[in-house]
Amino acid sequence: MNPKEANRVLGKDGPWLVFAALLFVMPFVPFVGENSFRMHIMILILLFAAMSQAWNIIGGYCGQVSFGHSVFFGIGAYGAGMAVVAYGVPPWPGILTGMIVAAAVAVIISWPCFKLSGHYFAIATFAIVEIFNRGFLVWDWVGGALGLDYPLVEEGLWNLMWHDSKTGYYYCALVLFLITFGLVRWLEGHRFGYYLRAVREGQETAESLGVNSTAVKLAAMALSAALAALCGAFFVQYNLRVDPPMVMSLDMSMKFVLITVLGGSGTLVGPLLGATVLIPLQEYSRALWGGLGGGVDLIVFGLLIIIIVVKQPAGIIGIIRDIGKHAARRRAAGKEEADHGAP
Amino acid sequence: MALLEVREVTKKFGELVANDRVSFTVETGTIVGLIGPNGAGKTTLFNCITGLYPADGGAIHFDGREITALKPYEIARRGAVRTFQVVRPLKEMTVFDNVLVGAFLKTGDRRAAAARAEECLSICNLTSFRDRPAGGLPIGGKKRLEMARALATRPKLLMLDEVMAGMTSTEINASVEVILRLRDSGITLMIVEHVMEGIMPIADKVVVLDGGIKIAEDAPGNIVNDERVIEAYLGPKYSQRFKARREGADLG
Ligand SMILES: Nc1ncnc2c1ncn2[C@@H]1O[C@H](COP(=O)(O)OP(=O)(O)O)[C@@H](O)[C@H]1O
Ligand SMILES: [Mg+2]
């Protein structure tokens, strides 16, 4: 790698690598504190950033807006849940199974849906959430409407469960975050990542350059769904229970989409920015106005999204870029003035 | 040997026959011009050859194999790559990334693909636009980007659809230079130009379409004197006047 290239990579990766390192030491900082509400929020931010990044692969980079991702999230949750509750084993085999099943379901569902273009694809994915939600509600093997309640087992990584301290969950969420962000960062520099964007920007154009767009979309969907399932598995381990409305719901699907769109879809840091803004907002508004009934958080989400879409469709990342450009322009103008001022 | 053989290709849009049993060949290493008035069916023929539209009849062979029913990406992978007359930049990607997508056809290695992309940017005079979003290029730049992107795939047959339209005469001259250099490097070219002057000096052979029908296939020198071609371009009245004048000149 020549120095120029090294600079470019560092310039791009430096900030978020530093950020990731910061996250590692965060739990030791007394300000955050053990078991606090803040710790809970940090865990949710990392989980939803990871989950939205998984969505970002197909929805942001590849431009196929899916409202069906809560299904894959749910399959992962049920995979882990069934391993622990029904089979009495650690969640790991269930997590793996969940990821594979989610990828397979994603491919089977997407095959016909990808024949639809643009909005019709998005609408078709809506219907799928309903179908799975209803299906799981009446499916006795997975607990039906009652869902699955975790037994208390020995805590630790082996069972992926901790009783009193949230630190273990925190580090798991951090690993999840690093896996998804690292993977997407890696994709960005490789052929597949370029093909994803090419398909988004113009499917026929990509095909004219030898890109099998159907294969690209299906692969992106499978990868995205498998990662979603991994996130769902963590979610159930953290909540120690799962039922269909908790995971397979349009609310949940919307969250992944909104977080990514708010932060900046099709960008690496977008899901993190979105989750950092929306998750605390959700948790605090729930804590404050929870008495008003469910959905307060969604109202807040909705308002924010409307503002963003009207003000800056590129999301928070777009706002940051605008500020950067503005500053650069002012610096340039200032310099010019200084140059003119010189005799 | 013919690199491309188009045999009796027919394409209909409802009642309209956009290509009516068109046949011709493109020999390896040559430049073939495809001309004809607006609406003659040139772009449609490109679309049939590259698999964008299924042909309603006829057969297309490329590099010794039939490609008639193949998908666009399969045809591109075999080495027949085209540009679009109505430019299609991958808007939000940079100019460099656009070309990189093309370069990834022949190699999965990022560094090799990047080197190829740089080379094609430089050939097509786009280096100064390298890091700009492709959607923001002026039209001449977008036309050159179409060419650079297709070129980056290392095609055997490069199919250009009116890349010179909308270019200034300086840009046209530069494009002609580029095309000749590509031919010399072993690429076969098939070039659609609405404007005859752009293609006549460099083509080895010219195919003329009019109303979906092939009306001539000959060396450029013969094409410009072909009565049916003149008639197609200028209408019957002018054609007769042109003929009379030429006969007058012959007498004198
Ligand atoms: N997708 C299409 N649907 C219907 N008619 C079309 C389509 N594409 C082209 N045509 C018609 O086919 C004829 C040939 O068009 P085209 O191939 O674009 O001509 P050229 O490229 O020679 O100017 C025109 O009459 C055009 O209107
Ligand atoms: Mg045309």
Side-chain angles (χ1 to χ4, degrees), chain A:
Chain A
M1 199 185 283
N2 63 40
K4 205 172 135 202
E5 205 175 324
N7 254 343
R8 202 157 59 219
V9 171
L10 269 187
K12 194 170 162 73
D13 288 341
W16 85 274
L17 284 178
V18 168
F19 180 79
L22 264 178
L23 287 174
F24 255 110
V25 298
M26 199 75 106
F28 301 114
V29 180
F31 154 78
V32 174
E34 262 290 282
N35 274 353
S36 67
F37 187 54
R38 289 201 204 94
M39 194 72 160
H40 168 67
I41 288 179
M42 292 291 293
I43 290 169
L44 286 188
I45 289 176
L46 289 174
L47 168 65
F48 277 89
M51 179 56 223
S52 303
Q53 189 67 281
W55 183 88
N56 199 19
I57 295 172
I58 184 77
Y61 285 92
C62 197
Q64 312 295 310
V65 174
S66 152
F67 290 99
H69 267 56
S70 64
V71 169
F72 314 131
F73 187 77
I75 289 174
Y78 272 97
M82 287 300 284
V84 177
V85 178
Y87 292 95
V89 296
W92 301 104
I95 294 175
L96 195 66
T97 311
M99 289 173 75
I100 294 167
V101 171
V105 168
V107 168
I108 292 165
I109 288 172
S110 309
W111 208 306
C113 288
F114 279 146
K115 297 230 183 324
L116 306 168
S117 59
H119 300 308
Y120 294 102
F121 173 77
I123 291 166
T125 61
F126 257 95
I128 283 156
V129 177
E130 274 314 294
I131 293 169
F132 271 80
N133 184 303
R134 298 296 155 89
F136 271 65
L137 277 173
V138 297
W139 192 8
D140 286 336
W141 187 59
V142 297
L146 290 176
L148 303 170
D149 268 301
Y150 269 44
L152 233 68
V153 293
E154 198 184 322
E155 69 173 356
L157 196 60
W158 175 246
N159 283 324
L160 204 61
M161 187 190 287
W162 289 271
H163 299 153
D164 302 319
S165 156
K166 282 198 162 73
T167 315
Y169 285 118
Y170 177 85
Y171 281 115
C172 280
L174 186 58
V175 168
L176 207 56
F177 168 81
L178 289 176
I179 288 173
T180 50
F181 277 67
L183 193 71
V184 168
R185 173 67 188 89
W186 183 86
L187 280 181
E188 273 195 339
H190 283 76
R191 172 153 66 178
F192 185 64
Y194 282 92
Y195 278 5
L196 287 179
R197 279 165 281 181
V199 167
R200 176 190 69 199
E201 296 294 308
Q203 198 164 307
E204 279 183 358
T205 315
E207 296 241 336
S208 80
L209 300 168
V211 180
N212 180 351
S213 66
T214 309
V216 166
K217 287 190 287 185
L218 287 177
M221 197 62 165
L223 177 63
S224 174
L227 290 172
L230 186 62
C231 294
F234 175 82
F235 184 74
V236 69
Q237 292 298 126
Y238 184 58
N239 284 298
L240 300 177
R241 68 163 275 103
V242 60
D243 59 40
M246 256 176 89
V247 286
M248 290 173 180
S249 67
L250 275 177
D251 281 16
M252 200 49 127
S253 281
M254 289 303 275
K255 242 169 238 175
F256 311 148
V257 181
L258 294 185
I259 286 172
T260 315
V261 170
L262 179 76
S265 87
T267 66
L268 181 67
V269 291
L272 178 61
L273 292 175
T276 308
V277 171
L278 281 190
I279 295 299
L281 214 63
Q282 161 190 295
E283 292 303 310
Y284 282 111
S285 62
R286 258 191 205 161
L288 280 175
W289 303 308
L292 299 179
V296 174
D297 49 328
L298 282 177
I299 294 174
V300 176
F301 272 36
L303 285 175
L304 239 144
I305 287 298
I306 291 170
I307 294 169
I308 278 287
V309 168
V310 171
K311 281 287 190 196
Q312 173 49 276
I316 298 175
I317 188 85
I319 294 173
I320 293 174
R321 278 189 197 136
D322 283 352
I323 293 170
K325 258 186 231 158
H326 199 73
R329 220 176 300 135
R330 280 196 26 195
R331 228 176 298 135
K335 188 165 170 287
E336 213 163 86
E337 225 161 73
D339 288 351
H340 280 294

Side-chain angles (χ1 to χ4, degrees), chain B residues 48-51 53-55 58-60 66-72 74-75:
Chain B
C48 289
I49 295 170
T50 55
Y53 295 160
I60 303 158
E66 176 151 17
I67 57 166
T68 320
L70 294 188
K71 301 218 168 73
E74 292 171 320
I75 293 167

Side-chain angles (χ1 to χ4, degrees), chain B residues 43 85 161-162:
Chain B
T43 299
Q85 177 183 0
D161 195 350
E162 303 208 17

